Amino acid sequence: LVGSEMCIETDIKSKYEENGGGIKGIVSAGFQAIHEISTMKFDVINTLTGGKLQAMKDAWSLKMEEIHEKFSSGIEKIKSLFNFE
């Protein structure tokens, strides 16, 4: 776990530096920290549930992708009715 904590710290510091430091770097590093902590907690819960959480996430993602494709298709059909150039 110590190695992963060092990796997380490096990722956060990298985000800060990638965004030029300052306020933009602080905000970016903060969001990176939130992402890293959320990922760690997700992994722990997923392990405790025997992978069921990942299965639920995958099912949700698949359904959302289907919705996105249908919505995009509908928008394209509407656009084809008009000349939006």
Side-chain angles (χ1 to χ4, degrees):
L1 189 64
V2 173
S4 65
E5 288 174 359
M6 288 174 46
C7 182
I8 291 170
E9 185 178 324
T10 302
D11 290 345
I12 293 169
K13 186 176 180 182
S14 293
K15 280 294 179 186
Y16 174 80
E17 292 169 352
E18 283 175 19
N19 289 282
I23 292 174
K24 188 175 178 183
I26 291 169
V27 170
S28 181
F31 279 114
Q32 182 67 29
I34 291 168
H35 172 75
E36 297 290 342
I37 291 167
S38 299
T39 300
M40 280 186 355
K41 290 183 179 194
F42 177 89
D43 291 344
V44 168
I45 294 169
N46 190 48
T47 300
L48 291 173
T49 62
K52 290 180 182 175
L53 186 60
Q54 182 67 47
M56 288 172 46
K57 179 183 176 231
D58 292 344
W60 176 261
S61 295
L62 181 62
K63 187 51 94 174
M64 292 305 292
E65 182 61 32
E66 290 173 8
I67 292 169
H68 178 263
E69 288 174 10
K70 287 179 182 178
F71 183 78
S72 295
S73 175
I75 293 293
E76 290 304 316
K77 286 179 183 176
I78 291 170
K79 283 182 179 179
S80 71
L81 297 174
F82 302 96
N83 187 6
F84 286 115
E85 293 180 22

